[in-house]
Amino acid sequence: MQDPVTLCTGQIYERSNILKWFSLGHFTCPTTMPELWDDSITPNKTLFHLTHSWFSQKYLAMKKRSEDVQGRALELLETLKKVKDQARVQALRSLDRSSPPTIRRRNSG
């Protein structure tokens, strides 16, 4: 909830949703359905702060997890580059070992 409000019945709604309910001509509590004896809505600051705190904690946890994943991905890419380079060197060495020796001729002259 981004903007929780409480009705006289004690029920809590998102402000935009209850205002839409009222704009459609309903003057009852959407949950319990009795007619409202008071059409005022009261901001529910406690619920607002609780939800804001909860979302902030979740956001920070997700951000950290994302950073951890990105860091791990970079580590893996670097490792793959090293392996690729090492594999290339090993392949060249094995080619060098398997090729027949070259005969050097001396220049006689």
Side-chain angles (χ1 to χ4, degrees), residues 29-48:
C29 175
T31 304
T32 59
M33 294 313 286
E35 192 170 320
L36 298 174
W37 63 89
D38 183 358
D39 63 352
S40 63
I41 55 177
T42 306
N44 191 320
K45 293 180 181 180
T46 302
L47 184 57
F48 171 81

Side-chain angles (χ1 to χ4, degrees), residues 54-72:
W54 185 84
F55 277 109
S56 295
Q57 289 173 359
K58 291 295 179 185
Y59 171 77
L60 291 174
M62 286 175 46
K63 184 178 177 185
K64 181 173 177 7
R65 196 173 311 132
S66 175
E67 289 168 353
D68 290 347
V69 168
Q70 288 175 351
R72 185 70 181 126

Side-chain angles (χ1 to χ4, degrees), residues 68-81:
D68 290 347
V69 168
Q70 288 175 351
R72 185 70 181 126
L74 290 174
E75 280 179 37
L76 289 171
L77 285 173
E78 288 302 315
T79 302
L80 287 173
K81 286 178 187 175

Side-chain angles (χ1 to χ4, degrees), residues 2 15-16 18 24 34 36 40 46 51 57 67 89 95-96:
Q2 296 192 356
R15 181 184 300 271
S16 61
I18 196 65
L24 294 172
L36 298 174
S40 63
T46 302
T51 55
Q57 289 173 359
E67 289 168 353
V89 168
L95 284 174
D96 188 43

Side-chain angles (χ1 to χ4, degrees), residues 5 7 9 11 13-36 38-39 41:
V5 294
L7 296 183
T9 59
Q11 300 297 320
Y13 300 96
E14 178 65 38
R15 181 184 300 271
S16 61
N17 293 339
I18 196 65
L19 290 176
K20 182 176 180 180
W21 176 258
F22 290 159
S23 75
L24 294 172
H26 303 288
F27 294 101
T28 57
C29 175
T31 304
T32 59
M33 294 313 286
E35 192 170 320
L36 298 174
D38 183 358
D39 63 352
I41 55 177

